[in-house]
Amino acid sequence: MVVLEATQAAIAAAGRALRSGALVAFPTETVYGLGADATDGRAVAAIFAAKGRPRFNPLIVHVGEVAQAEQLGSLTDSARQLAAAFWPGPLTLVVAKERHSPIADLASAGLATVALRVPAHPIARALLRASDRPVAAPSANRSGHVSATTAAHVAADLGASVPIILDGGPTPIGLESTVVDATGPEACILRLGGLARESLERALGRPLAFALGAPGRPASPGMLTRHYAPATRLRLEANEVRAGEALLAFGPAVPKHAAAAINLSPSGDLVEAAAKLFSALRELDATGAQAIAVMPIPHLGLGEAINDRLQRAVRSP
Ligand code: TXA
Ligand code: MG
């Protein structure tokens, strides 16, 4: 791990690192982000591994320009209004993902929506230009810890799991971005943050509700996030395939005779498996199999988040 003063040369090196699939922590005007190329599923999986997140929450995808956001998501009228008023800035807009979006499924946790933000911090913007990629980045802290607002916090919290930390001093806002769900005609607040509700309401010319819960007491963001679940029934911990079943395999020893099979990682690599999880579920879901037999996934490292997601998919109707 190196902490680099964010000079032009350091930003250029960090941009190359991102393009090669490595993680880079960088300052934004809100908090430090732990970034990865959002189009690279394995790089995105490494974010979850580094944070020790027990779940695959959807991540914010950062872009340098509003025009790029338009290519990744379909902006509703209210999204456009808010983007015009507050981007670049501490606002994240959840919008419908564009069809054929290059964003890795894992970055948006398999959802049909994507959270987009154009940050204002000059170092974040320079890094986005240098990498020439959309950058998925949650706050650069270990899961359950508070968001990091200095490079030293990032280093203390994530240390060895981040090859490059760009140091741009303390972040000016120090609170995460405000997240607005702008997928429908009635935009609503998913998370309060660095942009005040009053400012949003002034720009829209009308009051904004919270997505759930009483005003001022939004339910936790995790609860607000709808989760992707396949329509096909999942059968977990499967060591054999039954008639009519598709197989979601893991590891080198795979049962034969599945109607369709996808191996999340023949070598048993949990980072590779996480990167493939959502697209594999989608693909198997589309095969028309009666059920999807899922081989046991070790409950270690990213295996915990993979199992969490599989268990939710079993429970949902
Ligand atoms: O200021 C910030 O927002 C920082 C900097 C680095 O940009 N990032 C950040 O990311 O705080 P994170 O991952 O800690 O929080 C992202 C929030 C979560 O509450 C997540 O549930 C929500 O955004 N979110 C992301 N994608 C979503 C989606 N498709 N639908 C609903 N909520 C989403
Ligand atoms: Mg966070």
Side-chain angles (χ1 to χ4, degrees):
M1 181 261 292
V2 287
V3 180
L4 299 176
E5 191 198 330
T7 60
Q8 257 189 343
I11 292 169
R16 284 193 297 276
L18 279 173
R19 291 175 70 96
S20 73
L23 301 184
V24 171
F26 62 97
T28 80
E29 70 276 29
T30 58
V31 297
Y32 275 74
L34 178 60
D37 175 356
T39 66
D40 178 343
R42 278 193 73 112
V44 174
I47 291 178
F48 290 98
K51 281 188 68 97
R53 262 197 188 176
R55 285 192 196 149
F56 295 130
N57 302 333
L59 305 177
I60 297 171
V61 174
H62 300 73
V63 292
E65 306 294 333
V66 179
Q68 262 177 293
E70 298 260 10
Q71 285 168 13
L72 300 175
S74 94
L75 273 55
T76 53
D77 288 343
S78 52
R80 283 223 171 75
Q81 255 177 299
L82 292 175
F86 301 110
W87 276 353
L91 170 69
T92 295
L93 292 170
V94 175
V95 297
K97 228 184 196 184
E98 273 301 330
R99 268 154 55 86
H100 312 298
S101 163
I103 300 299
D105 275 330
L106 186 61
S108 51
L111 296 169
T113 55
V114 61
L116 298 170
R117 172 153 113 84
V118 181
H121 198 291
I123 296 170
R125 296 177 67 76
L127 178 64
L128 289 165
R129 272 195 303 275
S131 69
D132 195 26
R133 291 282 202 283
V135 171
S139 48
N141 52 277
R142 276 194 75 77
S143 181
H145 293 191
V146 295
S147 298
T149 55
T150 65
H153 289 171
V154 181
D157 223 32
L158 296 171
S161 48
V162 191
I164 298 181
I165 300 172
L166 284 179
D167 188 350
T171 59
I173 294 178
L175 259 187
E176 296 89 344
S177 62
T178 297
V179 183
V180 172
D181 178 345
T183 50
E186 292 286 317
C188 55
I189 297 176
L190 288 170
R191 179 181 77 182
L192 283 173
L195 185 62
R197 168 166 42 177
E198 289 77 3
S199 311
L200 292 164
E201 291 180 335
R202 225 173 296 127
L204 285 176
R206 60 186 150 81
L208 259 188
F210 288 94
L212 274 178
R217 293 183 48 236
S220 85
M223 295 177 59
L224 296 174
T225 306
R226 263 189 301 275
H227 290 291
Y228 164 74
T232 314
R233 189 170 58 82
L234 297 192
R235 185 169 69 81
L236 303 187
E237 307 289 329
N239 288 302
E240 82 295 328
V241 181
R242 298 178 187 162
E245 282 185 338
L247 176 68
L248 188 63
F250 178 83
V254 175
K256 294 195 169 47
H257 310 304
I262 296 178
N263 197 330
L264 289 174
S265 172
S267 67
D269 174 349
L270 289 162
V271 175
E272 183 187 7
K276 267 200 212 168
L277 177 67
F278 290 108
S279 52
L281 282 172
R282 255 175 222 289
E283 252 181 78
L284 293 177
D285 202 16
T287 60
Q290 276 165 29
I292 301 171
V294 183
M295 287 179 66
I297 312 286
H299 211 64
L300 305 166
L302 285 186
E304 199 183 338
I306 294 172
N307 285 323
D308 169 75
R309 186 41 52 99
L310 289 168
Q311 265 144 19
R312 283 163 192 265
V314 168
R315 281 199 302 274
S316 61

